[in-house]
Amino acid sequence: MTKKGGVQQLQTEINTDDELTKFLERDGLLVLDIFTDWCGPCLGMVGSLKKIKLELGGDDLHLAVCKVDEIEILKRFRNRSEPTWLFASKGKVVNLMFGANVPKLMKLIAEELKIEKSVRAGEGERTFFEFQELTPAEMERVEEKQRLEEEAVRAEQESMKKKRRDFIVHVTDDIMTNIRDHGVMLLMPQIPKDSFRRISESADPFGVCCKDKRIVKLMPDMLEILHFECDNPLPEDVLEVIFNKELQAVAWKVADQETRPVEEVLQLVHAALTDPQFVTTQNDAGEEVEVQLSPVLCAAELDPPRATPSPSLEKVEERPKVLVPAAWTPLNRRANAALIYLFFRSLTELFLPPDPVPDPPHLAIIFDAFKKQDIMDACQKHKEAVLAYGYFTSADPKATELIANTNDSYAKVKRTVSDKLVLKVTKANTEAVLELVSLGPCFVSQNCVQGEAECLSFFPEGYTNREEGEAVEEEHLEVSKRGKKKKKKKKDEDTSSVQNGQEVADIAALEEAIEEHEGDEKTSNDGHDKEEEAPSENA
């Protein structure tokens, strides 16, 4: 890197490992301005460095600018845009500072010079670090970065959890509003599938009929909805036994004149099915006695899943059987609506649209628009990772305005140096994110929670990267295709109708010809019979 004469005299230029090794052989305190080729050294500090060297340092202070692109021992400092100041003595690192805070740097140089002179005089001690070793300042940054990443992950998880919960509340609200007379009951794996007639007969006295029934397999990922705000969730040991087994899900409908909540009625049905029944009969002596009958549906003790053998254990410990109830139905309305949503979506088709496909976790990455050629080349390479893009007046999502939503549109407008190209990029594609970040953006979302909020400001619902005319043309094309399909279908129906009509006509003509032929034969036979009868009469 070319420098002015004053800078060259004040600071030694270091570009290779050999030059660094030679510089580290000097006595005194060494201060290295570490930079990468694309960023450059911190020229704004030159005046202050010159002043402190003349006033305090003298021959005890040596300054250098160190380009780390080709220096292997300092490779961890590559690709950083933040000024980095490395302090060294006796061939080892003694301190490190990040940033361009002039008073802080001058104060630190003065303190390190004082320590250096004290150590040289045998009056003090200093802590040294190898060049490959992280300094306390770096360790602090690593820990802070790790903390921020953990917070970001936690915030993302909480945000996704809240969105999911809000969605389930929304759909269950709709179900509770539109389906007031339906409830769901699960029949456990031990219940025979051919016993439903007896079950229906037990439910009849309560005015309950089966609206729908299906075989389902309960999986762990269904628990979020299965137990959503449920007052009587299934025990964990029972869930462990019935996971991945076939259960019968029954959608019951109560009578139209029923005024009680459907959950209350289903609890009565549940009791009639699973509780012992008592009947009054007469014994041999003619006395009335009460006899207990077995319930229609019985609980059963089932084996829990087998534990995975451990190499450290010679024998797998036997687990006790689990008592699995015969049937289960939730006590409260929202939990019941959640079961309808989980197992009986056919009942919600008239008022509940299909589940929306959520955007994957994403970030906002913003560039100066004059870099658009390199950026769009990378976007073309990672098409599946870039969810949306657009040209805006600024990087501030609260104050920006959309300039163009396509490259062709942006080519037709008057551009300014402040124009920004904003990308909505999925975080899941790490390769795409890293490549885009390497192109020098002016802003990147800190995490997906902030990224979602920022992208929503730039790309509101309904935003598209299509020209308005293209969208209309595509819509017309789709309408035209649908029209052609209808015409073709009608033509096929007409052709089929004509063919069917022709076939009917042909059959009718054939039948008529057969009848005529049979009639001719009959006439001919009658005449022949008369001819034979005449001579007989004469005789």
Side-chain angles (χ1 to χ4, degrees):
M1 175 171 283
T2 306
K3 292 184 179 292
K4 297 178 182 179
V7 179
Q8 288 179 334
Q9 293 174 4
L10 178 67
Q11 297 171 287
T12 303
E13 287 193 7
I14 301 174
N15 297 291
T16 65
D17 286 291
D18 291 339
E19 291 174 355
L20 176 61
T21 301
K22 186 176 180 180
F23 181 74
L24 293 175
E25 292 174 354
R26 298 187 184 186
D27 291 330
L29 179 66
L30 314 181
V31 180
L32 294 83
D33 177 3
I34 296 175
F35 69 96
T36 54
D37 188 42
W38 63 272
C39 182
C42 190
L43 298 178
M45 294 284 197
V46 172
S48 300
L49 290 172
K50 183 176 182 180
K51 180 179 179 182
I52 198 168
K53 178 171 174 61
L54 294 174
E55 294 180 357
L56 298 177
D59 294 336
D60 292 328
L61 178 63
H62 305 279
L63 307 174
V65 286
C66 183
K67 186 169 74 172
V68 296
D69 298 76
E70 303 296 332
I71 300 176
E72 190 65 22
I73 200 173
L74 297 176
K75 63 181 180 181
R76 70 178 184 273
F77 297 107
R78 293 172 186 169
N79 298 322
R80 294 192 180 189
S81 59
E82 185 180 26
T84 305
W85 306 90
L86 188 146
F87 296 77
S89 177
K90 298 181 181 180
K92 297 185 184 295
V93 178
V94 296
N95 210 338
L96 194 70
M97 177 188 144
F98 297 101
N101 188 324
V102 176
K104 181 179 178 181
L105 178 62
M106 297 303 108
K107 180 181 179 182
L108 188 57
I109 291 175
E111 290 174 353
E112 290 296 334
L113 274 172
K114 186 176 179 180
I115 295 172
E116 182 68 22
K117 292 176 182 178
S118 174
V119 171
R120 187 181 300 176
E123 299 174 355
E125 294 182 355
R126 180 189 282 285
T127 303
F128 296 92
F129 304 92
E130 298 295 336
F131 269 79
Q132 297 87 346
E133 186 180 358
L134 295 181
T135 65
E138 290 176 284
M139 287 296 297
E140 185 179 337
R141 285 209 158 193
V142 169
E143 292 172 358
E144 178 65 13
K145 181 182 178 183
Q146 184 177 355
R147 184 186 66 80
L148 292 174
E149 288 176 352
E150 290 173 354
E151 283 186 0
V153 171
R154 188 161 50 250
E156 290 171 14
Q157 292 174 344
E158 290 176 356
S159 174
M160 292 176 65
K161 188 175 180 180
K162 183 179 182 303
K163 285 174 63 178
R164 178 63 176 166
R165 175 179 171 75
D166 291 345
F167 175 75
I168 298 174
V169 168
H170 167 70
V171 296
T172 50
D173 280 344
D174 280 354
I175 292 171
M176 288 189 292
T177 301
N178 292 277
I179 304 179
R180 298 175 180 273
D181 55 356
H182 285 63
V184 178
M185 183 180 293
L186 295 183
L187 307 181
M188 296 302 160
Q190 71 267 25
I191 305 303
K193 296 177 178 61
D194 58 358
S195 62
F196 196 73
R197 181 176 178 180
R198 291 182 61 203
I199 296 172
S200 296
E201 290 173 352
S202 299
D204 286 342
F206 301 94
V208 174
C209 64
C210 176
K211 185 69 174 178
D212 195 0
K213 181 169 75 78
R214 61 187 57 192
I215 304 299
V216 299
K217 276 192 177 182
L218 200 60
M219 306 300 290
D221 58 359
M222 296 178 176
L223 281 183
E224 177 192 27
I225 300 176
L226 184 77
H227 284 169
F228 189 75
E229 294 191 4
C230 184
D231 293 340
N232 60 322
L234 286 164
E236 290 185 7
D237 58 343
V238 173
L239 289 170
E240 189 180 12
V241 171
I242 65 177
F243 277 149
N244 208 30
K245 289 187 173 64
E246 289 188 347
L247 285 71
Q248 300 174 66
V250 185
W252 297 104
K253 181 182 182 301
V254 298
D256 294 338
Q257 64 272 19
E258 180 62 67
T259 58
R260 293 170 296 182
V262 64
E263 292 76 29
E264 182 180 333
V265 178
L266 287 190
Q267 287 302 316
L268 297 175
V269 175
H270 181 273
L273 292 171
T274 60
D275 291 348
Q277 303 297 312
F278 296 90
V279 295
T280 302
T281 185
Q282 289 184 346
N283 59 16
D284 295 339
E287 299 172 342
E288 289 189 354
V289 293
E290 194 174 51
V291 178
Q292 179 178 330
L293 302 179
S294 298
V296 177
L297 304 179
C298 297
E301 289 188 337
L302 301 182
D303 292 321
R306 292 184 61 84
T308 304
S310 174
S312 60
L313 297 176
E314 296 181 0
K315 185 179 179 181
V316 178
E317 183 181 353
E318 291 292 333
R319 302 175 63 189
K321 290 181 178 292
V322 177
L323 184 64
V324 177
W328 175 80
T329 185
L331 294 174
N332 54 309
R333 189 75 189 101
R334 189 177 296 278
N336 193 45
L339 287 189
I340 294 175
Y341 171 72
L342 182 62
F343 296 123
F344 297 101
R345 294 300 299 273
S346 59
L347 299 177
T348 67
E349 288 177 348
L350 295 178
F351 60 89
L352 207 61
D355 291 352
V357 179
D359 278 340
H362 49 270
L363 306 169
I365 305 180
I366 305 178
F367 298 87
D368 291 315
F370 62 78
K371 295 182 178 180
K372 76 181 188 70
Q373 187 59 55
D374 293 336
I375 307 306
M376 296 315 297
D377 287 345
C379 291
Q380 187 65 25
K381 181 180 175 182
H382 302 285
K383 275 196 245 183
E384 72 289 346
V386 181
L387 306 177
Y389 75 91
Y391 295 90
F392 294 84
T393 55
S394 84
D396 183 359
K398 296 180 181 179
T400 193
E401 293 182 7
L402 176 67
I403 300 174
N405 63 338
T406 65
N407 293 316
D408 291 340
S409 298
Y410 186 63
K412 299 173 184 176
V413 301
K414 184 178 180 181
R415 310 176 196 177
T416 67
V417 293
S418 62
D419 292 351
K420 303 298 178 187
L421 173 55
V422 183
L423 306 180
K424 178 181 178 180
V425 184
T426 173
K427 184 185 176 184
N429 193 324
T430 308
E431 183 181 349
V433 173
L434 290 176
E435 182 169 344
L436 289 168
V437 169
S438 70
L439 296 175
C442 54
F443 176 82
V444 179
S445 301
Q446 290 187 3
N447 54 59
C448 291
V449 177
Q450 294 184 11
E452 182 178 353
E454 289 154 358
C455 287
L456 193 59
S457 298
F458 287 108
F459 309 107
E461 188 175 350
Y463 182 91
T464 178
N465 285 121
R466 293 181 301 173
E467 298 282 1
E468 186 175 346
E470 291 178 2
V472 173
E473 185 178 346
E474 286 186 14
E475 186 177 346
H476 286 170
L477 184 61
E478 185 64 27
V479 171
S480 176
K481 285 181 179 178
R482 288 199 297 267
K484 287 180 180 178
K485 286 181 180 178
K486 288 182 180 178
K487 287 180 181 179
K488 185 177 184 302
K489 184 178 180 182
K490 187 174 186 304
K491 183 179 179 182
D492 291 342
E493 290 174 351
D494 293 343
T495 303
S496 176
S497 178
V498 170
Q499 289 175 348
N500 292 338
Q502 184 63 42
E503 289 175 1
V504 171
D506 291 343
I507 292 171
L510 181 59
E511 289 176 347
E512 185 178 352
I514 291 171
E515 289 176 359
E516 289 178 358
H517 179 68
E518 290 176 346
D520 292 342
E521 285 185 349
K522 184 177 181 182
T523 304
S524 175
N525 291 336
D526 291 344
H528 183 67
D529 293 342
K530 288 178 181 179
E531 289 176 0
E532 289 180 348
E533 290 173 0
S536 176
E537 291 173 357
N538 293 333

